Structures are given as C-alpha cells and as structure tokens.
Amino acid sequence: MSSTSAIRASWHALPVEMKLAIVDQLDVDGVRPFSKVNHESYSMSIPSLFRCVHIQSAEALQQYATHVPKIYFRHIRQLTICTKRAKQPARGSPQPARVTDALCDILPHCSQLEQLTLSLAASPAKAVIPCFQQLRELTSLCIDHCGDEARSPLSERLVVSIAATVPNLRHLSLDRITRSALHAPDLVGAKPFVPVVIGDEDIPDHALLGRELRLPSLLRLPTLKNLRIRDTHLGDPQWECMPVCCALEVLDLGSCYHESNDYNRICTERIMGNIGHTVDECALNTALTSQTFAHAKHPERPLTKLRKVHLTPLFPVENVVDTLTTLSDSPVESLSVQCHEDDVVDMCSALEDFLNIRAERGEKGFYKHLNEITVTAVSDLADALDIGVGSKKRAPEVLTGENADAVKRLQAFMRDLRLGAFAKEPEVPVVKPTTVNGRGRSASAPAALQL
C-alpha cells in the first residue's frame, strides 16, 4: 500500500470526534483548503470557518443575511459588522434593504456569540434592541460610530438600551456616541455646539433602567467589569451621583473634542470620584487633580486599588507630574505612556521630574509599588493607546535622533536612581534589559523601563 493510501485510510478510520478536534486546531488559512477536499471536509470545517466573521460594509451585510444559511450562525464566536456603504448608489438605483432588517435576521441566530463589534454609520431602528436579549454568551460588545455625527448621529439612548439588554455583558467599548436632547437639553443650540440627537424619545423604556437611557445609567449594569468610552461628551451631571451597581475593574475614559481640556478634566474627575474605588486599571486622556477625591460618593477613597495607569498620546505632557502626584496614594505597579513622536523629549523630561520626586520622597512610600515604566511613541494620534476591550495592537515607532537620546538619558537616570537606592534598600529590583524577538532592546527602540 502506498504511503498516500495509508494516510487516506488512517484519516477515514478516525472517529468523527477526533477529526473535528483536529480540524478545530487549524487556523483559517489551513481550514479553507481543507474544506474544499470533499463534502465531509466541508461539513467538518463549518464551525471553524464561521468562528470569526468580519462583514465590511452595508452591502456585504445584506448579502450575508440573504444568502448564508442561518443554521451556520450558531458557530459564530466573534462577529465584526461595519454598516458604512462600500460605494454611493447611482442616482435612481433602488435603495438597499435597511441595516436594521439585516441585523435582525442575523443576531438572534448567533447563540454562541462571545464578542461583537458594531461599526455603525447611523443609528439602526429600535427594532434591533430585542435581538440582544437572546445573546446570552455575549460578554464583549464594541459599538463605534463611523458616520457623520452631524447628519446621522448614534444615539446614547439606543446604545445604552442595547448594552442593558445583553444578559451577561462584561466588557463595553463605545466610540463617538452622541448625547440625546432628552437628557442634555442644555446642549441644544448652545456653544460650543456639541451635536445632539433629537427624536429618539420613541426608544422604549428598559426593564432595568426605565426611561433613564443616558450614558451614566451604564453604571447600573451589575455584570459590567470593563468600560471604555472615547470621543464622547461626558458632561452628564448624573455621572457624579448615579448609583453604582457594578464593580468596574478597567476604566478607559477619552475626551470630547468639542469641549476644552478643563471641561474634559472635570468630567473625568467626576466619574473617577464616583466609581474609582473598584478600578484596577485606567487610561487617561486628561489630567487629574485632587478634586477627583472631592467628588467621592463611596465610603472607600477612590483609586485605592489602582495598579496600572496608561497615559494616552492626547494626555498633556505638562500635567504628567501633577497627575501622577494626585495618584500617589494608589498602589500603582505599572505606568504605561504613549506620546506623539514630537513629544518624546518632553515626556522623558517630565518622567525624570516625576522620578526625582519619587527618589526624594522614597522614605515616605511615594510610589513604592511602581516597578515598570513603558514609553512608546506613535506617529499618528489615531494610534492612541487602548486597554481592555476594543484594544488595537499596533507596532510601536522606532525612535531615532534626539528622541532616542532622550530615552537613553531616561534609562541612564533610572539606573542611577536604582544604584543610589540599592545601598539603602537591597530589595530594590535590578534594572533588567528588555528584549524584542529574543534580542536585547536597543536604546533607539521604545523603552520598557524597570525600577
């Protein structure tokens, strides 16, 4: 018997369960050719082929809803849908079916769906809300608005109702959500002319939240652990007094580009003051002051459990020292900093100032738990650091010239601090060179600095 025949005989002799287990180990590039071998191979490949589905346009969404058998939807674990039109229709051509109809045809059949990303060009109709009640395995939901906020905004009332309808939601990421005039009448027609949604009053009351389908009501979702909100107006005063029914572990707050830095700072402090007592990890776009603690509503002081801090490229360099000083009572172990490549020199200088303060106050326990600082440069502010759900992993920029020199100085400064502290405190961790792909990291590469 030839070796090919023996292999074929061996494969056909395997029990179905073992065949399925083998196919399950294949990546997409391996499954696709395997699925074309014969009918049996195709049937076995269906769970793997449909495990991760990416629908890139409104037209593709309609085609998927129309032509893919609904029985296959139960295999989907990760689903990404963009409802932006691939191309504008010619004048006089028939309009495509509504996005809402396609979503309603797909979502109720995704019984094993765990992660869902919706990039919406406009608000779908309220009929889509009940579909989310059936997604009991869904724990991670990302909703972002990819359309024109002035012409086709994505309503906060719709988004909050959807999030509250998911039975076991743990991770929620929101981008460019528009406030509702029903909850923000003060924004209508007033400077700085923040876009608002008018006409979303018909979204029905929710069983848990009732009529209050405003962004702060997300804090009433008991299963929520990770909340990320970017490029969204956070000025609702209810953020400060909304009853908190969840134990948030990761909080990532952006800023509203229509408002000033001071306004965004106040909004962030107000939210931190209300929910910061459970947060383990946070990302900041704006500075923090001691007023954060003045907003505290919980008996436990805010940010007493904070271990990881991320500063995004939008964070003002001149506020680094003040903000880190504000967080000095938190048990911070890791500080991650992303900055625009033009700000690397100033950021390294600010971190040196911060480390000087740490060295001077060392005996008082100032940042005594801090053991790592990571500095990464980005060439585009769109590459802002994301944490938790919805995070986008990008290759960091390679530093050269004065930026590389600034990082070298910071590394040398930290080595000097360690050596100075080592005589007094032998337990101080040694500065270890980090590696990239098994090689020592050069000074011109983004630096992970250990204290």
Side-chain angles (χ1 to χ4, degrees):
M1 180 184 294
S2 68
S3 59
T4 303
S5 300
I7 293 173
R8 186 181 299 116
S10 300
W11 171 257
H12 288 299
L14 293 175
V16 175
E17 294 81 2
M18 188 172 293
K19 291 180 181 179
L20 289 172
I22 293 172
V23 175
D24 191 56
Q25 300 302 312
L26 299 176
D27 58 21
V28 175
D29 293 334
V31 170
R32 284 175 178 165
F34 175 79
S35 68
K36 298 175 183 178
V37 173
N38 54 37
H39 181 73
E40 181 192 33
S41 298
Y42 178 75
S43 299
M44 290 183 176
S45 301
I46 287 175
S48 297
L49 288 172
F50 284 87
R51 184 182 295 121
C52 300
V53 175
H54 191 176
I55 302 174
Q56 299 181 343
S57 66
E59 294 87 346
L61 175 64
Q62 178 59 34
Q63 292 293 316
Y64 200 89
T66 302
H67 298 293
V68 177
K70 290 181 173 53
I71 193 172
Y72 293 167
F73 297 168
R74 62 190 175 92
H75 299 297
I76 300 176
R77 301 297 180 90
Q78 300 177 23
L79 176 60
T80 299
I81 298 175
C82 177
T83 66
K84 200 168 187 176
R85 300 290 299 275
K87 58 182 179 180
Q88 292 300 318
R91 184 173 298 179
S93 62
Q95 292 295 313
R98 292 196 314 166
V99 165
T100 302
D101 294 337
L103 291 174
C104 291
D105 284 342
I106 294 174
L107 292 178
H109 301 280
C110 300
S111 57
Q112 299 300 313
L113 185 61
E114 298 171 357
Q115 299 179 26
L116 174 61
T117 297
L118 295 175
S119 186
L120 302 173
S123 287
K126 60 185 179 182
V128 76
I129 297 174
C131 299
F132 290 84
Q133 191 169 9
Q134 304 177 48
L135 305 180
R136 303 200 65 84
E137 301 300 319
L138 181 62
T139 59
S140 176
L141 174 63
C142 303
I143 302 178
D144 73 84
H145 182 220
C146 62
D148 187 330
E149 190 175 13
R151 295 183 178 181
S152 53
L154 182 55
S155 166
E156 69 172 320
R157 289 181 55 79
L158 177 75
V159 169
V160 171
S161 184
I162 287 174
T165 302
V166 179
N168 298 302
L169 186 63
R170 293 177 59 86
H171 310 282
L172 178 63
S173 176
L174 305 176
D175 282 86
R176 301 182 69 228
I177 308 303
T178 305
R179 299 285 307 282
S180 170
L182 186 66
H183 304 306
D186 54 305
L187 296 180
V188 179
K191 291 183 178 181
F193 303 111
V194 178
V196 292
V197 177
I198 298 175
D200 57 354
E201 300 88 353
D202 62 337
I203 295 178
D205 293 358
H206 190 272
L208 175 64
L209 306 180
R211 186 71 169 165
E212 291 297 300
L213 301 177
R214 58 208 307 157
L215 288 172
S217 294
L218 294 171
L219 303 181
R220 296 177 57 191
L221 306 185
T223 60
L224 197 61
K225 298 293 184 182
N226 185 321
L227 178 61
R228 174 189 180 277
I229 306 179
R230 291 287 185 90
D231 293 333
T232 298
H233 192 273
L234 298 175
D236 193 327
Q238 290 293 313
W239 280 113
E240 187 172 8
C241 57
M242 180 63 63
V244 181
C245 301
C246 58
L248 280 181
E249 298 172 357
V250 180
L251 181 62
D252 183 346
L253 296 177
S255 56
C256 175
Y257 50 83
H258 296 284
E259 297 285 3
S260 67
N261 288 337
D262 283 342
Y263 184 91
N264 287 317
R265 173 184 57 78
I266 293 171
C267 292
T268 299
E269 290 177 344
R270 191 159 53 190
I271 297 172
M272 285 285 196
N274 190 18
I275 61 179
H277 57 279
T278 64
V279 173
D280 172 83
E281 181 176 3
C282 77
L284 297 173
N285 271 17
T286 60
L288 291 180
T289 68
S290 58
Q291 284 299 112
T292 302
F293 307 106
H295 293 290
K297 302 299 179 183
H298 193 271
E300 187 176 350
R301 183 179 171 85
L303 307 177
T304 55
K305 298 178 181 179
L306 184 64
R307 296 187 306 109
K308 299 178 183 179
V309 176
H310 305 263
L311 304 184
T312 76
L314 295 176
F315 190 91
V317 176
E318 63 271 16
N319 295 124
V320 168
V321 176
D322 292 341
T323 295
L324 293 179
T325 301
T326 298
L327 300 175
S328 61
D329 289 335
S330 301
V332 177
E333 299 173 3
S334 172
L335 172 61
S336 175
V337 179
Q338 272 199 332
C339 60
H340 192 272
E341 55 188 9
D342 293 338
D343 295 327
V344 170
V345 174
D346 292 336
M347 180 59 73
C348 288
S349 177
L351 290 174
E352 286 186 32
D353 292 341
F354 160 68
L355 291 170
N356 261 323
I357 297 175
R358 181 177 183 268
E360 294 169 359
R361 303 187 190 178
E363 69 279 3
K364 298 180 181 178
F366 186 81
Y367 276 89
K368 63 180 179 180
H369 300 286
L370 183 64
N371 57 50
E372 184 177 66
I373 299 176
T374 303
V375 181
T376 308
V378 295
S379 59
D380 190 333
L381 291 180
D383 294 342
L385 174 67
D386 294 328
I387 61 174
V389 68
S391 62
K392 303 180 177 81
K393 303 300 182 183
R394 299 178 174 91
E397 298 294 316
V398 175
L399 304 180
T400 58
E402 65 177 358
N403 291 341
D405 293 338
V407 172
K408 286 180 181 179
R409 287 194 300 271
L410 182 58
Q411 289 174 321
F413 182 75
M414 294 181 69
R415 282 194 294 269
D416 292 342
L417 286 181
R418 188 197 66 79
L419 292 174
F422 190 76
K424 300 178 182 178
E425 302 177 31
E427 72 277 6
V428 174
V430 177
V431 178
K432 299 178 180 178
T434 57
T435 60
V436 179
N437 296 330
R439 294 171 293 179
R441 184 190 298 271
S442 68
S444 62
L449 313 173
Q450 294 186 329
L451 300 178

